[in-house]
Amino acid sequence: MIEHTHSITREWQQSDRGWVAIAGEATTYGRPLWCGNSEISSFTIIASHVLRCLGRGRLTLHYAAEKYGAAGLLASSVDRGWLTLSAELRTHRNGVIAWKNARPDTEICIDVTGSRSIITRQGAGIVDRTLAERGTIWLSPAGVQEDLINISDLLPGILHIYLRPDRFSPAAIGIDLDQSVRASLRYRHSFKDPLLAEIAYAISSELQYETAAGGLLADTLATSLAARLVQAHLGVSLSQAAVRPDGRHAVDRRRLARVLDYIEAHLEGDLTLDRLASIACLSQFHFARAFKAAIGQSPHRYVSGRRLEHARALLAAGDRPLVDIALALKFSCQANFTRAFRQATGQTPGQYRRNFSV
């Protein structure tokens, strides 16, 4: 069997340990993955699937642009390649925002700065009037039509998160939610949830200060968002422990070694939580916690560190253009790569290369 992606071609054969890559890459193993309602195999995670996910994100942000307009956009995930959520950081002037179309994804809005503006929302038969403070959250589930939002004063920093329906799938959160349970996620009054707020602050920070594994961080935070909504707002219990006494949600040494080998082989490739969790044979929710329990770092922090180490090696090895290195390590631009590298090393990439060659 042959796998073709946007960057590699790999030949696979089946063994007693699963599907094994025998040409084109370091040995890796796979099993079927789930994306939305469709089963796809790990050896057919191809460019067309990635492009569909990216296309969906762009379509979601197109809906956002129609709803809120182009003015006031401070930062966006549109050029980040995030596959599991889309996000925008916006400022909103006082006035009325009217919206008559149902949204495709769950929208979560969080005030990340605080404003003391009075926000009145009308939709799904609910009228909600709130004094906006840092950490105030507004939830609008997928498919709900929101009539209008009335803003009394300037809102300097509102994070809009658009969460895809497949974040509530068994592959993402580890349980199979009945459709009636998902449907109970309703348009509701504003509320505060410290955990959801912290997730939002992390997404806002990533939008403004890109890291070396921002896509993986977005995957992890999207799964955490969905899990929190399921636990706190649908009343469904998920296992909170990354490693249960029976080992059900642990990752053993053999599978952990596969994950680490895969990361090393794909530092210049697309590393998603979905793919890593598949190699470990865990849901994304439980993999993220099991990985941190085993390694002492979250998947995002580990991959970010390994990519910056790889950047050092690339800079020392020759005169490869800095922009090529930045894009190879999945930064959206050279400037963001330079900022992250300087934060980690105290030097810009150019300075590091010059000092190394002395």
Side-chain angles (χ1 to χ4, degrees):
M1 186 154 313
I2 305 295
E3 172 193 14
H4 300 283
T5 74
H6 63 292
S7 60
I8 61 172
T9 299
R10 238 182 308 195
E11 185 177 353
W12 294 79
Q13 70 179 17
Q14 196 166 23
S15 74
D16 59 353
R17 296 176 67 185
W19 287 91
V20 184
I22 59 175
E25 286 287 329
T27 300
T28 54
Y29 304 88
R31 68 178 183 89
L33 296 176
W34 288 86
C35 180
N37 297 321
S38 303
E39 186 179 18
I40 60 173
S41 300
S42 58
F43 45 80
T44 56
I45 300 176
I46 57 177
S48 60
H49 167 63
V50 173
L51 290 174
R52 281 199 303 274
C53 293
L54 291 174
R56 181 187 178 92
R58 290 181 181 275
L59 180 61
T60 296
L61 295 180
H62 174 72
Y63 279 105
E66 285 188 348
K67 180 177 181 179
Y68 300 114
L73 181 62
L74 303 176
S76 172
S77 66
V78 68
D79 62 346
R80 299 296 179 86
W82 295 0
L83 303 180
T84 52
L85 65 76
S86 301
E88 291 182 333
L89 183 62
R90 287 179 169 271
T91 180
H92 295 285
R93 295 180 178 180
N94 64 304
V96 175
I97 299 172
W99 180 248
K100 297 294 184 181
N101 297 319
R103 64 188 51 76
D105 298 335
T106 296
E107 181 180 6
I108 307 164
C109 301
I110 306 95
D111 190 330
V112 296
T113 60
S115 67
R116 310 296 291 177
S117 174
I118 297 174
I119 310 301
T120 304
R121 295 165 74 231
Q122 296 181 21
I126 291 176
V127 178
D128 175 40
R129 193 166 184 265
T130 305
L131 180 64
E133 299 176 319
R134 189 171 191 267
T136 302
I137 301 170
W138 297 269
L139 174 67
S140 300
V144 173
Q145 180 171 303
E146 188 173 281
D147 292 326
L148 65 85
I149 304 171
N150 193 326
I151 303 169
S152 70
D153 298 284
L154 177 70
L155 290 169
I158 300 292
L159 181 69
H160 298 261
I161 302 171
Y162 303 93
L163 193 62
R164 288 174 42 176
D166 65 3
R167 291 302 86 200
F168 299 95
S169 70
I173 60 175
I175 61 172
D176 191 0
L177 289 178
D178 185 84
Q179 181 59 37
S180 63
V181 176
R182 295 192 212 181
S184 64
L185 188 65
R186 302 177 185 275
Y187 185 100
R188 56 172 292 175
H189 295 278
S190 61
F191 62 96
K192 288 194 174 183
D193 183 321
L195 181 55
L196 284 181
E198 288 301 323
I199 293 171
Y201 301 150
I203 293 172
S204 177
S205 177
E206 180 63 33
L207 281 179
Q208 297 175 83
Y209 310 105
E210 187 178 10
T211 63
L216 191 56
L217 176 62
D219 288 350
T220 304
L221 295 177
T223 299
S224 296
L225 272 173
R228 180 60 178 174
L229 290 174
V230 166
Q231 291 174 313
H233 303 282
L234 293 183
V236 178
S237 177
L238 298 178
S239 171
Q240 292 294 327
V243 183
R244 292 164 54 112
D246 59 7
R248 179 180 169 189
H249 297 147
V251 56
D252 59 40
R253 290 182 180 180
R254 181 168 57 89
R255 287 183 293 170
L256 180 61
R258 291 181 189 176
V259 171
L260 296 179
D261 287 346
Y262 186 87
I263 290 172
E264 288 302 313
H266 295 81
L267 290 174
E268 295 188 31
D270 292 317
L271 290 170
T272 66
L273 190 66
D274 189 15
R275 183 72 180 100
L276 299 181
S278 170
I279 295 170
C281 300
L282 292 172
S283 73
Q284 295 161 47
F285 175 77
H286 292 111
F287 168 74
R289 287 149 182 78
F291 185 93
K292 186 172 183 178
I295 298 297
Q297 293 181 299
S298 66
H300 159 255
R301 287 195 177 278
Y302 178 82
V303 170
S304 182
R306 293 302 307 135
R307 278 183 167 157
L308 289 173
E309 283 296 323
H310 188 54
R312 289 187 178 97
L314 293 175
L315 291 168
D319 57 356
R320 185 174 177 179
L322 298 182
V323 65
D324 286 356
I325 295 176
L327 297 179
L329 297 179
K330 302 307 171 184
F331 285 92
S332 61
C333 64
Q334 183 179 336
N336 285 345
F337 167 57
T338 298
R339 184 201 54 78
F341 190 89
R342 181 167 49 199
Q343 184 176 29
T345 66
Q347 303 177 77
T348 67
Q351 290 171 335
Y352 182 89
R353 173 175 279 168
R354 289 190 297 272
N355 293 338
F356 189 88
S357 63
V358 172

